[in-house]
């Protein structure tokens, strides 16, 4: 098997097998996340690099009138090429903030990135295939072997309801930040599905199976990517009928400048903050910042996102009353009026959806 030689100075490795690495908030300061700073989440092994990407095919089959097997050339020739800047965020982003801790990769806020993706609309491809009225859900397949090295079993195979799949922003992409996809991010083609856990944005895409029922691949059902319908207490016995699939990701903000632990010269009486915010399927309505652990808040200025599912960059200048130690926080509110809590809420056994206020420490003097 090829090794996991994807080390980048910007990333913090959270796991070697499967390979997982997150981006510290201070490395997410670019409006568009450069590819070498983009987080990595594998669930199986990295597949061998396609020797002949021109012969790679993506199959569309199942509940369609005309099953398709499309090469990269066919995708390019038959459908309009689109570039969108969109957030990809792991469903477990923020997991380390749960108390008590849950199993799973202990992401802080760095299971996220926002890149420019170039490819074709999933909806255009599906229209060419002719989705039947019996279609209910998709099942996405990638070429990565599972951790045992077997290619008979998918490392992960998730899907979405047809209505979500048909959204015009979903893309089958071959380009990331103006270059061909990096191998680790899914070369030669991957899915990008906006706003939902990135586990549905299948890398090394080989097949979209249109199904007449909810997909049941690895990563579907049971407790995978599922959150409680009625809140549960840590330690409660889990009743699976009280779980639903995590769909839209929750609202989150990060401060991308300054970095945690920054020291400012004595006498500094104002601090400039910069960051990003995003809210799954929703828009970011407001970002507020605090230098006193949430006792008082001040509004940040928002930059308009380029397109739906892009993140919202923000800036703020906050007066500092004195020298000393400050804990600075950012809190975003989505278009429904839902804000980040100060402490992770809605604890669940697999640790999805923790989105507390992002906090960092600054010392003046
Ligand atoms: N084929 C395949 N696609 C996959 C995965 C995987 O393990 N195999 N991981 C998913 C998960 S859980 C996440 S968070 C994103 C991460 O994408 P990235 O590694 O490009 O950041 O890819 C998704 N697509
Ligand atoms: Mo993920």
């Amino acid at each position: 098997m090829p090794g996991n030689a994807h080390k980048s100075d910007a990333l913090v490795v959270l796991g070697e097998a499967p390979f997982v690495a997150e981006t510290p908030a201070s490395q997410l300061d670019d409006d568009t996340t450069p590819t070498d700073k983009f987080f990595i989440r594998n669930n199986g092994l990295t597949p061998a690099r396609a020797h002949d990407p021109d012969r790679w095919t993506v199959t569309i089959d199942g509940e369609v009138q005309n099953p398709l097997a499309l090469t990269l050339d066919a995708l390019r020739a038959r459908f309009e090429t689109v570039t969108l800047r969109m957030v990809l965020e792991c469903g477990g982003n923020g997991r380390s903030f749960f108390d008590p801790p849950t199993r799973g990769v202990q992401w802080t806020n760095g299971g996220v990135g926002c890149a420019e993706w170039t490819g074709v609309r999933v909806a255009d491809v599906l229209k060419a295939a002719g989705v039947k009225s019996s279609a209910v859900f998709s099942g996405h397949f990638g070429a990565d072997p599972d951790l045992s090295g077997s290619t008979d079993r998918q490392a992960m195979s998730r899907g979405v309801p047809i209505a979500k799949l048909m959204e015009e922003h979903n893309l089958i992409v071959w380009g990331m930040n103006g270059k061909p996809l990096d191998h680790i991010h899914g070369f030669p083609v991957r899915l990008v599905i906006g706003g939902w856990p990135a586990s549905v944005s299948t890398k090394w895409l080989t097949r979209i199976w249109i199904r007449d029922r909810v997909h049941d691949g690895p990563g579907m059902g049971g407790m995978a990517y599922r959150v409680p319908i009625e809140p549960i207490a840590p330690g409660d016995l889990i009743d699976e009928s009280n779980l639903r699939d995590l769909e839209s990701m929750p609202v989150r903000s990060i401060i991308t400048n300054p970095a945690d632990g920054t020291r400012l010269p004595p006498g500094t009486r104002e601090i400039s903050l910069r960051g990003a915010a995003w809210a799954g399927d929703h828009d970011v309505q407001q970002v507020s910042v605090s230098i006193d652990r949430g006792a008082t808040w001040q509004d940040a200025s928002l930059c308009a996102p380029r397109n739906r599912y892009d993140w919202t960059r923000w800036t703020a200048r906050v007066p500092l009353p004195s020298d000393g130690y400050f804990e600075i926080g950012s809190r975003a509110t989505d278009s429904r009026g839902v804000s980040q809590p100060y402490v992770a809420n809605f604890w669940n056994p697999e640790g999805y959806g923790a989105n507390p206020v992002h906090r960092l420490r600054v010392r003046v003097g």
Side-chain angles (χ1 to χ4, degrees):
M1 272 309 124
N4 283 318
H6 324 294
K7 308 290 148 69
S8 149
D9 290 344
L11 300 182
V12 174
V13 175
L14 299 179
E16 293 285 352
F19 189 78
V20 185
E22 76 168 343
T23 319
S26 62
Q27 296 288 337
L28 288 170
D29 198 34
D30 304 270
D31 288 354
T32 303
T33 310
T35 304
D36 65 344
K37 295 182 181 176
F38 205 93
F39 81 102
I40 296 166
R41 190 353 168 183
N42 281 359
N43 287 272
L45 301 174
T46 307
R49 193 181 162 90
H51 288 301
D52 197 352
D54 295 337
R55 292 181 57 186
W56 190 276
T57 55
V58 178
T59 301
I60 315 291
D61 63 355
E63 304 300 310
V64 294
Q65 323 282 356
N66 327 296
L68 301 172
L70 296 159
T71 61
L72 264 175
D73 275 351
L75 283 169
R76 283 203 177 90
R78 288 185 59 177
F79 308 101
E80 185 189 347
T81 296
V82 184
T83 296
L84 295 172
R85 195 168 72 186
M86 291 191 278
V87 170
L88 265 192
E89 182 177 22
C90 183
N93 199 23
R95 182 177 287 128
S96 67
F97 302 120
F98 273 120
D99 178 22
T102 69
R103 59 180 166 254
V105 173
Q106 296 299 306
W107 301 101
T108 66
N109 285 297
V112 69
C114 187
E116 284 178 11
W117 305 103
T118 300
V120 296
R121 294 185 191 90
V122 173
D124 289 350
V125 174
L126 287 175
K127 278 173 205 150
V131 176
K132 292 187 183 166
S133 59
S134 51
V136 169
F137 220 87
S138 58
H140 311 159
F141 293 75
D144 44 332
D146 79 1
L147 279 180
S148 73
S150 154
T151 39
D152 318 332
R153 237 188 79 87
Q154 297 292 307
M156 164 166 273
S157 174
R158 305 200 63 232
V160 298
I162 293 300
K164 175 67 185 176
L165 187 69
M166 295 299 276
E167 276 184 5
E168 63 172 343
H169 292 82
N170 297 328
L171 302 178
I172 298 175
V173 305
W174 55 78
M176 180 177 185
N177 295 332
K179 299 226 176 77
L181 274 177
D182 262 20
H183 184 51
I184 194 65
H185 295 298
F187 178 86
V189 273
R190 79 172 301 165
L191 275 173
V192 176
I193 306 279
W196 284 30
S199 49
V200 298
S201 292
T202 303
K203 306 194 277 191
W204 311 291
L205 181 71
T206 55
R207 178 185 183 203
I208 301 175
W209 182 20
I210 304 300
R211 305 205 56 183
D212 63 1
R213 65 198 68 184
V214 174
H215 186 50
D216 54 359
M220 298 293 298
M223 293 205 269
Y225 297 94
R226 300 184 86 204
V227 291
I229 298 165
E230 289 174 8
I232 59 173
D236 276 0
L237 267 184
I238 305 305
D239 165 12
E240 284 187 9
S241 66
N242 185 36
L243 298 178
R244 62 169 181 88
D245 284 354
L246 172 61
E247 297 188 331
S248 173
M249 291 297 291
V251 61
R252 190 187 305 275
S253 65
I254 51 173
I255 301 163
T256 60
N257 190 271
D260 184 30
T262 294
R263 273 198 113 94
L264 297 172
T268 306
R269 285 299 166 266
E270 186 183 71
I271 186 166
S272 292
L273 308 175
R274 222 170 24 237
W278 59 95
D281 283 347
H282 310 286
D283 295 328
V284 172
Q285 189 175 68
Q286 187 184 36
V287 175
S288 307
V289 293
S290 175
I291 60 161
D292 52 17
R293 283 196 139 209
T296 60
W297 294 94
Q298 175 188 315
D299 281 356
S301 311
L302 309 185
C303 304
R306 282 193 197 165
N307 49 256
R308 194 176 177 201
Y309 301 118
D310 187 14
W311 62 14
T312 296
R313 302 296 310 184
W314 58 265
T315 56
R317 294 162 80 94
V318 186
L320 294 169
S322 62
D323 285 3
Y325 170 79
F326 296 93
E327 247 181 61
I328 303 194
S330 71
R331 179 186 71 187
T333 302
D334 72 18
S335 40
R336 301 169 304 166
V338 177
S339 298
Q340 293 176 259
Y342 210 76
V343 175
N345 56 357
F346 300 122
W347 187 95
N348 60 89
E350 300 274 310
Y352 299 112
N355 65 334
V357 164
H358 180 216
R359 287 187 274 171
L360 53 78
R361 295 158 292 193
V362 167
R363 213 174 265 282
V364 184

